[in-house]
Amino acid sequence: GQQLNQSPQSMFIQEGEDVSMNCTSSSIFNTWLWYKQDPGEGPVLLIALYKAGELTSNGRLTAQFGITRKDSFLNISASIPSDVGIYFCAGRTSYGKLTFGQGTILTVHP
Amino acid sequence: NAGVTQTPKFQVLKTGQSMTLQCAQDMNHEYMSWYRQDPGMGLRLIHYSVGAGITDQGEVPNGYNVSRSTTEDFPLRLLSAAPSQTSVYFCASSVGDSYEQYFGPGTRLTVT
């Protein structure tokens, strides 16, 4: 089946630092999605990307849909303690099914 | 709107027991799905439904059954629980299969 490789697996950063994480795949996706999961909760959608090359921002978050349609990155600028959580990328094919990456665990030290 | 709700939040089963995980949504979404989340493996699709009366298998369907008799409800059944089914289960819904999915809070299941 399709697989997404998400990196890094975990990050430990100081408050105020910028964060970058990415996902790569051997398959082409029509949509890339980035979710955040807080402890004990379900994933919440942060950003959706629909076109190759698309760059989208949502506050301090910026994400890009790779030109090859096989990768995407998420940047978080000026991190704050509430950014702590697990971030997942997900790719969607034309058939609608989502394939998730393994997740990036983000820890922010005040 | 309550969004996507799941019950129970926690459950402990013995090997061989059966149970049903409940999922309901009040957004009139056609598409609903079940995922399991295991450490280091992200979320994996178990079963999904594109509308009432229609279900299909996902990536890891073995050991699970689903049905979709109404638009609102999409229960997940474990007929004979196994320790390998210890996981956190998430239900999700969306307007259609190409739209953003909204996740419930999850059910943490332990099978001993």
Side-chain angles (χ1 to χ4, degrees), chain B residues 71-93:
Chain B
T71 298
E72 294 78 18
D73 301 298
F74 190 43
L76 178 72
R77 298 186 189 84
L78 284 71
L79 299 179
S80 179
S84 60
Q85 294 177 304
T86 293
S87 187
V88 182
Y89 292 84
F90 289 99
C91 178
S93 75

Side-chain angles (χ1 to χ4, degrees), chain B residues 34-81:
Chain B
W34 276 102
Y35 294 86
R36 60 176 288 172
Q37 183 179 24
D38 301 295
M41 300 190 72
L43 286 84
R44 292 181 292 168
L45 183 64
I46 304 172
H47 285 284
Y48 66 99
S49 168
V50 299
I54 306 169
T55 64
D56 205 348
Q57 296 181 348
E59 180 185 355
V60 287
N62 292 343
Y64 308 95
N65 282 348
V66 292
S67 60
R68 184 93 179 273
S69 57
T70 68
T71 298
E72 294 78 18
D73 301 298
F74 190 43
L76 178 72
R77 298 186 189 84
L78 284 71
L79 299 179
S80 179

Side-chain angles (χ1 to χ4, degrees), chain A residues 26-37:
Chain A
S26 57
S27 303
I28 290 175
F29 290 104
N30 291 337
T31 303
W32 281 94
L33 306 168
W34 284 92
Y35 286 86
K36 182 193 177 195
Q37 184 180 27

Side-chain angles (χ1 to χ4, degrees), chain A:
Chain A
Q2 297 166 321
Q3 290 192 351
L4 292 184
N5 295 313
Q6 186 172 349
S7 63
Q9 289 187 348
S10 60
M11 302 182 73
F12 299 85
I13 62 171
Q14 291 293 127
E15 183 177 0
E17 289 184 359
D18 296 342
V19 172
S20 183
M21 59 192 78
N22 69 82
C23 275
T24 59
S25 171
S26 57
S27 303
I28 290 175
F29 290 104
N30 291 337
T31 303
W32 281 94
L33 306 168
W34 284 92
Y35 286 86
K36 182 193 177 195
Q37 184 180 27
D38 291 325
E41 303 291 333
V44 174
L45 182 67
L46 297 174
I47 290 180
L49 302 158
Y50 300 102
K51 290 168 53 176
E54 179 181 355
L55 183 71
T56 297
S57 294
N58 179 8
R60 293 179 296 106
L61 278 60
T62 301
Q64 184 158 29
F65 191 150
I67 291 290
T68 64
R69 296 164 64 193
K70 293 182 179 181
D71 63 308
S72 177
F73 73 74
L74 174 71
N75 289 341
I76 305 172
S77 63
S79 60
I80 59 178
S82 62
D83 290 335
V84 166
I86 306 177
Y87 291 79
F88 290 100
C89 63
R92 184 166 58 209
T93 67
S94 57
Y95 300 104
K97 296 180 187 178
L98 285 181
T99 300
F100 281 83
Q102 304 96 322
T104 295
I105 301 172
L106 179 63
T107 302
V108 180
H109 295 288

